[in-house]
């Protein structure tokens, strides 16, 4: 039996209000609601939707958020640590400096999102997809992007140390000034990536990768040589 749906529009929503709706076995759609700073930790909000909501500093710690939908939400410093976000979808959201530590992000999708400074340590990520996202300064250490097509991703100044980019294809992407200690790029196609700030001392990490003649010339110039 499917749940009945309650739509909350333009409300500043408290935890007790949400708990009451959940106790009544309601599926909730949050439309232009203000959840800023609200403690929503450990709540079961599976299949709920969030549209144009304010989520700044809200806590979804260890919440059940599987199959949730998030559209044009603003959630600076929101906390999704240890949350279950399997099959969740985020579209055009501003989630700068959010924490996703140890979250379950299997088959989750981020499209057109601002994730600058976000923290993705130790996430479960099988099938996780990013597209046209800002990941500037994000902490993505030891994540795997193997064989992925990375379209419109800005990893500028991000910490991608220990990440696996083997056989990945970069399209309109940036690795400018990214931290790449122990990162693997074997077989990657980097012709669509901005490699600004890369030093030849990192060159061994790119053995087997493909770069363009223009990118090769830029690398040589880091030695002070001129390409005629």
């Amino acid at each position: 039996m499917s749940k009945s749906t309650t739509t909350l529009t333009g409300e500043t929503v408290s935890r007790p209000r949400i708990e009451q709706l959940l106790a009544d076995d309601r599926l909730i759609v949050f439309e232009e609601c203000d959840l800023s700073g609200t403690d929503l930790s450990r709540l079961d909000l599976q299949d709920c939707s969030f549209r144009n909501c304010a989520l700044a500093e809200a806590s979804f710690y260890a919440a059940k958020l599987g199959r949730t939908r998030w559209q044009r939400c603003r959630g600076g410093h929101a906390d999704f640590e240890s949350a279950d976000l399997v099959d969740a979808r985020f579209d055009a959201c501003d989630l700068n400096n959010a924490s996703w530590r140890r979250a379950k992000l299997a088959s989750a999708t981020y499209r057109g999102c601002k994730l600058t400074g976000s923290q993705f340590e130790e996430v479960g990520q099988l099938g996780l997809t990013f597209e046209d996202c800002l990941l500037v300064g994000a902490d993505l250490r030891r994540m795997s992007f193997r064989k992925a097509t990375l379209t419109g991703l800005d990893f500028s100044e991000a910490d991608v140390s220990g990440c696996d980019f083997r056989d990945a294809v970069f399209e309109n992407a940036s690795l400018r000034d990214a931290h790449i200690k122990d990162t693997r790029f074997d077989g990657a196609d980097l012709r669509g990536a901005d490699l600004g700030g890369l030093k030849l001392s990192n060159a061994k990490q790119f053995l087997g990768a493909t770069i363009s003649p223009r990118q090769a010339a830029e690398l040589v110039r880091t030695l002070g040589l001129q390409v005629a």
Side-chain angles (χ1 to χ4, degrees), residues 162-195:
C163 284
D164 186 354
F165 289 105
R166 286 178 293 171
D167 301 308
V169 177
F170 289 75
E171 297 179 348
N172 192 30
S174 178
L175 285 163
R176 177 172 288 273
D177 296 317
H179 304 281
I180 59 171
K181 182 180 179 181
D182 299 323
T183 305
R184 299 192 63 179
F185 293 96
D186 320 35
D189 185 344
L190 295 159
R191 289 174 292 181
D194 179 354
L195 301 180

Side-chain angles (χ1 to χ4, degrees), residues 43-57:
L43 291 181
D44 186 348
L45 294 164
Q46 295 180 90
D47 298 300
C48 291
S49 297
F50 299 79
R51 303 169 186 162
N52 296 291
C53 292
L55 309 171
E57 299 185 352

Side-chain angles (χ1 to χ4, degrees), residues 22-130:
L22 295 176
D24 293 338
D25 204 27
R26 310 289 292 186
L27 190 64
I28 309 171
V29 175
F30 299 88
E31 184 84 43
E32 298 182 356
C33 290
D34 188 353
L35 296 162
S36 300
T38 304
D39 178 11
L40 304 173
S41 60
R42 303 185 187 280
L43 291 181
D44 186 348
L45 294 164
Q46 295 180 90
D47 298 300
C48 291
S49 297
F50 299 79
R51 303 169 186 162
N52 296 291
C53 292
L55 309 171
E57 299 185 352
S59 175
F60 295 91
Y61 177 83
K64 294 181 180 179
L65 301 169
R67 301 177 301 280
T68 47
R69 297 293 179 262
W70 311 73
Q71 297 174 308
R72 297 179 298 280
C73 293
R74 304 168 309 285
H77 296 277
D79 182 10
F80 293 91
E81 182 173 347
S82 299
D84 183 344
L85 286 148
V86 173
D87 288 320
R89 176 165 178 157
F90 295 84
D91 291 294
C93 292
D94 185 342
L95 298 164
N96 291 332
N97 300 298
S99 174
W100 311 87
R101 289 189 182 100
R102 294 186 290 279
K104 297 177 182 177
L105 296 175
S107 299
T109 302
Y110 297 83
R111 286 196 171 94
C113 292
K114 296 178 181 179
L115 298 162
T116 296
S118 289
Q119 300 161 344
F120 287 91
E121 302 100 312
E122 302 178 54
V123 298
Q125 62 163 113
L126 183 64
L128 171 63
T129 301
F130 294 104

Side-chain angles (χ1 to χ4, degrees), residues 13-22 30 40 43 45:
V13 188
S14 67
R15 182 183 179 105
R17 170 87 159 117
I18 295 172
E19 288 178 326
Q20 182 59 59
L21 290 170
L22 295 176
F30 299 88
L40 304 173
L43 291 181
L45 294 164

